[in-house]
Amino acid sequence: MSKKPVYSALLIDDEEDCLDLLRWHLETYCPDIKVVATCNTAEDGLKSIQQLHPDLVFLDIEMPYLNGLDLLQRVPQIDFEVVFTTAYGEYALKALKMSALDYLLKPIVKDELIGAVEKFKQRMANKGSSQQVSLQMLLQHLTPLVQKKIAVPTHESILFLEIENIIYIRSESNYSHIHLKNGRTILASKTLLHFEGLLSEFRFVRIHASYLVNLAEITEYKKTDGGWVVMSDGREVKISRSRKDDLMKWL
């Protein structure tokens, strides 16, 4: 009786609890997948890929400083299979499907993980993977999502701001106040509607006529008086009644 092959897997995700849960699922339900390492930064993941040469990489798309797609672009030769783990919305999922790449939507569930692993094993058995072509297609479809900066016109100049450093944007007539993590506030000569169009794919949500907030920077949701959110800088923002349902779907 032939012994089942054991494949090596590397897990890359900036959220420790996601790493722990994925590892537990693999060890419990996918015994022929051996987790050789877990990494909570893309930089560590890149080093581990070069050192360990895994058969399979579970890769989070959205990570700070260097995201999953940036990581893949720095790998000289992709000789492993990739299963993306993502919390992105429908736009990114459509791109993943069009690229014929496997993905797991967070929170990861057992049956979907087992299905992704089975597809991986079939490709390994057939040795007919077109992984490189599929990844190139994905990068083309996700170009708006991998953008890291936006151009912000002010009276004096045009600033280029890191999207992940924006906590929220507050409107004032035809201007917008952009509040950053470093405590700085930029007065931009564009409307809030302009920034809503630019940032909606990056999980920025309009929760009030005057506020566009970064969902990643919400630290608390208060149910009193119709609903409030507390941002990472301590600012409390009231949720308008007409926008509450949209925010609750995201949360």
Side-chain angles (χ1 to χ4, degrees), residues 75-88:
V75 177
Q77 182 178 359
I78 300 176
D79 54 1
F80 51 87
E81 297 290 329
V82 179
V83 174
F84 289 101
T85 59
T86 177
Y88 275 138

Side-chain angles (χ1 to χ4, degrees), residues 113-133:
L113 174 61
I114 293 173
V117 168
E118 288 302 316
K119 289 180 186 177
F120 156 74
K121 290 191 291 185
Q122 289 172 12
R123 287 197 300 270
M124 293 297 287
N126 297 329
K127 297 294 183 182
S129 173
S130 57
Q131 186 83 340
Q132 193 79 44
V133 174

Side-chain angles (χ1 to χ4, degrees), residues 24-62:
W24 182 85
H25 274 312
L26 286 168
E27 291 175 348
T28 304
Y29 302 112
C30 305
D32 44 354
I33 301 295
K34 180 182 178 182
V35 178
V36 292
T38 61
C39 305
N40 60 10
T41 68
E43 291 87 348
D44 288 344
L46 185 58
K47 292 177 185 176
S48 294
I49 287 172
Q50 295 166 343
Q51 293 170 359
L52 300 173
H53 304 288
D55 299 311
L56 175 62
V57 173
F58 288 87
L59 179 61
D60 185 19
I61 293 180
E62 187 179 29

Side-chain angles (χ1 to χ4, degrees), residues 200-234:
S200 60
E201 293 289 351
F202 298 89
R203 299 173 71 192
F204 279 72
V205 177
R206 188 88 168 259
I207 66 169
H208 188 277
S210 300
Y211 283 90
L212 179 70
V213 304
N214 183 350
L215 289 176
E217 297 301 316
I218 294 177
T219 61
E220 185 179 357
Y221 165 67
K222 295 184 176 182
K223 299 178 181 179
T224 56
D225 300 325
W228 298 74
V229 293
V230 181
M231 306 306 297
S232 59
D233 65 348

Side-chain angles (χ1 to χ4, degrees), residues 59-73 84 88 91-92 95-96 135-150 161-164 198-199 201-202:
L59 179 61
D60 185 19
I61 293 180
E62 187 179 29
M63 292 183 287
Y65 309 116
L66 187 71
N67 66 37
L69 302 179
D70 293 331
L71 180 155
L72 290 175
Q73 289 179 312
F84 289 101
Y88 275 138
Y91 180 85
L96 285 164
L135 288 168
Q136 290 172 357
M137 289 179 62
L138 175 68
L139 292 173
Q140 291 173 4
H141 289 306
L142 285 182
T143 297
L145 290 180
V146 298
Q147 175 186 350
K148 289 188 172 182
K149 293 184 178 182
I150 57 170
L161 301 181
E162 295 278 353
I163 292 173
E164 67 178 19
L198 285 179
L199 297 171
E201 293 289 351
F202 298 89

